[in-house]
Amino acid sequence: MSENDKNAPPLTSAGPDLSGISSAPSRESPTAPVTAPPAPAAETAKPAPAPASPVEARDAHIPSEPPHAPLPSNGDKPPSTPPKPDAAKPAPATAPATQQKQHATPPHSPPPAAPAPRSFWRRLIGPFSNLPEEPGVPKPSPVTGGTDPAEGAGPQASAGPKPPVVTFRNVTKIFNEGTPHEYKAIENIDFEIEDLPDVGEFIALVGPSGCGKSTVLNLIQGFPDVWPPTRGEVLVRNRPVTGPGKDRGMIFQKYSSFPNRTVLENVTFGLEINRDALGYSPAEMKARAMDIIRKVGLLGHESKYPYQLSGGQQQRVAIARTLVLRPRIILMDEPFSALDEPTRIDMQALITQLWKEVEATVFIVTHSLAEAVYLGDRVFMFTPGPGKIADKIFIRPEEIGKAPGLSPLDVQEGPAFKARLREITERFLAIEDGGTH
């Protein structure tokens, strides 16, 4: 800020309201005044034209700055000190006619409702700053009003086709290659999961034990004990996987909470280790954690330790810890297999509800065909190891009787679900016995 800007007089009712505009130093020399181009008298009563000027369109995405003292409305250089009031001379009741012709708004009148003067200021300071309500500004965080890194950056961020969420290109994984303990887990796995507009897709992986289903999940996550693939490519949004990332969340079969941390501390763990990237304050991290704790039905248990919780509650903690980071990909490795049947049904309802809220792509490994048919939009059937994808079956909600308001138990007890489950079970048994059709 120049010395002249520091000493500029405070904003009063004597000029137009420019509090939404950020000032910037002039490119001219200090002695050269910034003069507004005179507006024709016939245009003073016309509202500003609707289409934006090329300068406005060009500067639509320059971030705004905090407002400083605005330039004087008459275009003159601001004085170094505020003018002293002249008691002998009263202020004229009306401005001279020549001054009225140079201003769209008289200097002593309140700012008009029409935004005509705004386009002048926009043209004047457009190369340096921008009004905050322009398109393309990131969405405010629902908790504190700040920018949420997990959210999109506006309309232009989603322009054009989105890359696939996950791509496997002829992926083979061999453990201990070249040793007596060599083991080929998967062979020539090839698929692509599209990024469906405004929704996510639920992919269920089924197959006999040892067919490499968990290996597929671990390659997507980039865990170092499995990654990289021996052959082929694993891509997330057209970028090669190089390791774990907060855009991918994992829920394991075994309860994975930290025993020395409370429920709240377990849920905030991912936020804490990513605080530099996320930029959340401790208060915002706690607010986000409490919100997801409420959604998974653990409100009132946030101060308990894992050993004080049931198995279903511990798995809810794992789900909350994963979803609080708002990952775009959720990987679930037999998450409900250790639960009793009523709790398992309850968890299916919970994960379906939360999945619709986060609109993420979910991969779930399960040994329950009923669970795969109920949850999955697609079911990938694997052959015995080394695992290959023998079939990809699409499941439409209406063909299994799935409808809003129906519980998982209601759906799975219906005739449509049972008929579809029987077809898929027969197909599964044929593949397990070595059949390919």
Side-chain angles (χ1 to χ4, degrees):
M1 180 183 294
S2 67
E3 188 66 28
N4 291 335
D5 291 333
K6 291 180 180 178
N7 298 322
L11 181 64
T12 67
S13 60
D17 182 7
L18 303 173
S19 58
I21 305 177
S22 302
S23 66
S26 170
R27 292 184 179 177
E28 302 295 335
S29 63
T31 58
V34 180
T35 306
E43 295 181 358
T44 58
K46 293 182 179 181
S53 67
V55 174
E56 296 174 60
R58 181 192 65 192
D59 301 317
H61 300 286
I62 303 177
S64 61
E65 300 177 357
H68 303 287
L71 297 175
S73 61
N74 58 8
D76 294 334
K77 177 183 175 183
S80 58
T81 58
K84 296 181 179 180
D86 191 351
K89 275 187 179 182
T94 57
T98 56
Q99 186 178 0
Q100 291 179 356
K101 290 183 180 180
Q102 293 178 357
H103 295 277
T105 304
H108 294 283
S109 63
R118 196 170 196 174
S119 61
F120 159 70
W121 289 104
R122 198 189 289 269
R123 289 196 301 271
L124 180 63
I125 67 173
F128 307 102
S129 62
N130 182 49
L131 298 178
E133 68 269 19
E134 291 293 335
V137 178
K139 294 180 181 179
S141 163
V143 177
T144 64
T147 299
D148 187 348
E151 298 294 338
Q156 293 193 358
S158 59
K162 294 182 180 180
V165 180
V166 176
T167 304
F168 269 54
R169 293 176 179 167
N170 299 316
V171 174
T172 296
K173 178 62 186 180
I174 302 174
F175 292 96
N176 307 314
E177 188 176 19
T179 73
H181 302 288
E182 179 175 301
Y183 169 70
K184 184 184 290 186
I186 56 175
E187 184 177 20
N188 296 331
I189 300 296
D190 193 274
F191 65 83
E192 183 173 275
I193 307 300
E194 302 82 5
D195 193 348
L196 302 178
D198 302 321
V199 296
E201 192 173 1
F202 219 117
I203 310 297
L205 311 182
V206 298
S209 297
C211 68
K213 304 182 296 296
S214 296
T215 300
V216 170
L217 295 193
N218 293 332
L219 285 172
I220 297 173
Q221 182 60 277
F223 284 136
D225 56 342
V226 178
W227 185 88
T230 307
R231 290 189 294 273
E233 285 186 298
V234 179
L235 308 175
V236 171
R237 301 192 182 278
N238 280 348
R239 294 184 179 182
V241 173
T242 58
K246 65 178 182 295
D247 62 329
R248 286 152 284 153
M250 191 86 172
I251 301 173
F252 299 94
Q253 175 182 0
K254 296 180 180 179
Y255 309 138
S256 54
S257 298
F258 297 102
N260 61 328
R261 296 174 70 102
T262 64
V263 169
L264 178 60
E265 291 169 343
N266 266 282
V267 175
T268 58
F269 177 77
L271 298 174
E272 291 170 3
I273 64 175
N274 289 283
R275 75 168 72 216
D276 292 339
L278 297 173
Y280 296 155
S281 67
E284 184 168 7
M285 286 191 288
K286 181 178 179 180
R288 289 175 178 272
M290 289 301 297
D291 180 61
I292 196 66
I293 286 173
R294 176 185 59 79
K295 289 181 178 179
V296 300
L298 289 178
L299 197 61
H301 301 277
E302 59 271 12
S303 298
K304 293 182 178 180
Y305 288 90
Y307 74 90
Q308 297 174 308
L309 304 174
S310 67
Q313 289 174 326
Q314 291 188 50
Q315 200 63 308
R316 288 172 187 263
V317 174
I319 293 172
R321 191 177 62 243
T322 298
L323 295 186
V324 74
L325 287 169
R326 299 184 63 84
R328 305 315 303 154
I329 300 171
I330 300 173
L331 308 169
M332 308 178 72
D333 194 355
E334 300 187 51
F336 311 138
S337 61
L339 303 177
D340 57 78
E341 193 63 20
T343 305
R344 184 178 188 135
I345 293 292
D346 188 40
M347 297 300 290
Q348 290 175 6
L350 173 66
I351 200 65
T352 301
Q353 176 186 352
L354 296 176
W355 163 59
K356 290 179 180 178
E357 289 186 15
V358 299
E359 297 178 354
T361 298
V362 181
F363 289 82
I364 182 170
V365 168
T366 178
H367 282 288
S368 170
L369 288 179
E371 187 169 80
V373 174
Y374 176 76
L375 293 175
D377 295 304
R378 274 192 279 179
V379 177
F380 288 1
M381 287 192 174
F382 283 68
T383 65
K388 303 177 182 178
I389 297 181
D391 206 352
K392 300 173 185 177
I393 303 172
F394 285 86
I395 307 291
R396 295 192 302 273
E398 59 272 15
E399 70 183 17
I400 61 172
K402 198 173 182 180
L406 292 180
S407 71
L409 186 60
D410 292 336
V411 175
Q412 294 175 34
E413 289 295 323
F417 181 90
K418 291 181 177 180
R420 188 69 170 129
L421 177 61
R422 183 181 180 87
E423 295 174 9
I424 293 175
T425 301
E426 291 175 352
R427 173 68 182 137
F428 177 84
L429 294 174
I431 293 173
E432 195 173 33
D433 289 340
T436 56
H437 298 286

